[in-house]
Amino acid sequence: MPANSVSVRRRSELGRWPTVSLGGIGEEDEVTPGTAGDSQVGTKRQESRCSAWMRRVCPCVCRKSADDVTDNTATMEDDKRSVPLSDLILSVKSVDLMKSRSGINRKEHHTDEFEYDDLILRRGQSFVMEIEFSRPFNPDTDTMHLELQIGPLPQVSKGTHVIIPLVEELEDNRWEAKIVQRVGTKMKLSVGSPVTAVIGRYKFAVATHSSGGDFKMEHNPKNDITFLFNPWCENDTVFMDDEKFLKEYVLNETGKIYYGTEKQIGARTWNFGQFDAGVLEACLFILDRSGVPHAGRGDPVNVVRVISALVNSMDEDGVLVGNWSGDYSLGTAPTAWSGSVDILTQYHRKGGKPVSYGQCWVFSGVTTTVLRCLGIPTRSVTNFCSAHDTDVSLTTDIYLDENMEPLAHLNMDSIWNFHVWNDCWLARPDLPPGMGGWQAVDATPQETSQGTFCCGPSSVIAIRNGLVYYSHDTPFIFAEVNSDKIYWQRQADGSFTKVFSENKAVGRCISTKAVGSEEREDITDLYKHPEGSEEERIAVETACRYGSKPDVYSIRQPEDVSVEVSTDGGELQMGHNASIRITTSNKSQSARSTVLHGQISVMYYTGVIKATVKKDIINIDLLPGEEKTVEWVLTYADYQDQLVDQAALVMTVAGRVSQSGQVLATQHVFRLRTPDLQIQPEGSAVVGQKMQAKIIFTNPLPKTLKSAVISVEGPGLQTPKRINIGDVARHSTITLTETFVPAKSGPRKLIANLDCRQLTQVHGVAEIIVQDE
């Protein structure tokens, strides 16, 4: 594009030029014809006005010597006036984003392994920078903010144009900046970002306003900032709380992918290379190729689904061309690849031309690379004896003629020796509680999903329990791991009758690389209940009710038995036993009996299951019209070592009525209450005068709390303060006296919080009315 000149007015409209008074710029001075000396006077006058404007806008450029600015004044050559330094425009001389790989930002954000010199950060976590101005920043007369922009049309309302204001204290989950140091013309900032921030590469700018005018630094690509998902941040939906898992599923650049057969399992090492030079650009390029608006790139569920579509080339010219023909003469054979880096960098270098060729393990390896690069914990998973359901029946159907010969033209379903896809770790706020954790995603093009060749993410917990009505593509993946093999025989009238079924033919030895070792880990139990168990059969039959052949299993009688789980929230206290009631009702005129399988699991508040802490089987016999309640007791010993933030638990009950075959299933989420901190203000609260408050805490647990910390703060009362109180003995009470000086009058709140490894979510608050001096 030719470098056309931009008028002064046009420049101001672009929003990147200083909004200043241009004085005589563009105005013609009236010069009376005369001698050459007169002409020289006019020239000097114009030069003087230009020089004065430049000195006012950019004193650092026009300064002749250190003596040009003294006593906080600047001399204007045209009229010899002294201008206060504070009246000069506040411009930016330099920005230090502290982006070196060995620096504090990259280290703390776990991005120091990226082979880039750019600033790469993870959302939801603060970072620091240093700005040097043309003069000292005066908080009384100057204001400033930071700006980030991403995408072709950044908009504040969509989160793609971010205005980051200066604040006194950073708050969680907000775009804010805080001054942490100010020396001379330099200012050091701590900047916070929300856990919902859009991921990608942002343009960065600093804008200032002063009595001298407005300033906004021009875009410099070297100052661009890339934000990624943050699995180290507990509020991010990709949060994973085990460091060894993070090292494996985010930071490990190599892995193993399994292939072969159930009886002969082979393994190959794969170079994921997610931190190699060129890979991050390629991953962001893939997102751009998808056409998904930048505003939608803060949701990992959406991003994962997009990646599953764009790693294959069936739609939108994605990364890899699939080829199962055996003829690879026009590209690279799938077996020839040993890693993802060459594939991704080639795709980016050639402007989005699909790379030839890939099969399932190659698609999976590339998907692992892309998602780990973007900050989503991911692993490659191999399913042996993997079914391919083509008609959403959730069964693998084999059609035979009258003589028991296969009907090839009808046998579209198949069972692969092995198939490789991915698990990625996500909370699923779009699904009911308990569906978070590992999510299956498959980039190999097999069947379309909503018109696109993509698959997932689908909750592995939903797959395991046959809950195929939860998105995305759960029916297809359920059939891959747990469909029954059904044999149908053609009858004389042309119809087909079910003649035989195999219940253990699909979904064998589901494998992934073990954490922290080179061994194979069998994760079949995550995807399905033990083969032939009551729970597994319930899952299969539940799923098939939502398939295209809902009557493949016996038609059930009307649902005349119900089950309900309840708790008394006020009685559920941390450190004590919890009572859970399971009530079954028989509304029929006949006796009913059932075997209920119950389990209680600890759950993150995001819905991700951490661990199962209690399991049992309950036999219930009901007379006609009878209602019966069974009480379960969850002891402290059952859950003491598994609790996480929010202390949430979920009870799942499932079973079948013996007489009618009716399936019973329900879930109940409950939380164990933690004690409050008692805060007792003492004496009068007056601005500028010391006062005290007692903070009282009783340990509710029958064990010692280790290295407990109490945090105290209150707007206008106390700046954030952490107090290490050490160990707190079992069932003991401690009292802490805190002294502070109120700074503002009116109603105030003093807030305290206790935290330790064994106990969280312990807090208290006190209302304090502060009087003026």
Side-chain angles (χ1 to χ4, degrees), residues 423-547:
D423 282 347
C424 59
W425 184 268
L426 306 173
R428 290 299 299 271
D430 57 319
L431 298 181
M435 295 297 110
W438 288 119
Q439 311 289 314
V441 56
D442 193 349
T444 301
Q446 297 180 84
E447 300 293 328
T448 59
S449 172
Q450 298 175 323
T452 301
F453 280 95
C454 64
C455 185
S458 172
S459 167
V460 171
I461 292 176
I463 295 167
R464 186 174 194 256
N465 292 289
L467 308 180
V468 296
Y469 38 82
Y470 291 142
S471 58
H472 295 277
D473 307 308
T474 306
F476 184 80
I477 302 175
F478 176 88
E480 286 184 301
V481 301
N482 207 14
S483 59
D484 285 349
K485 197 172 182 180
I486 307 294
Y487 293 80
W488 304 84
Q489 185 179 26
R490 187 168 60 193
Q491 304 301 302
D493 61 358
S495 64
F496 284 87
T497 300
K498 174 184 170 184
V499 293
F500 182 67
S501 65
E502 290 183 79
N503 300 338
K504 301 179 181 180
V506 168
R508 312 291 294 175
C509 301
I510 304 176
S511 305
T512 191
K513 178 186 174 297
V515 173
S517 81
E518 297 300 309
E519 300 300 315
R520 181 182 70 89
E521 180 183 1
D522 192 307
I523 58 171
T524 306
D525 62 327
L526 295 184
Y527 273 87
K528 57 199 297 187
H529 293 283
E531 289 281 11
S533 67
E534 183 73 4
E535 296 98 326
E536 189 262 347
R537 288 291 88 199
I538 291 172
V540 171
E541 295 179 27
T542 298
C544 287
R545 292 167 57 191
Y546 296 89

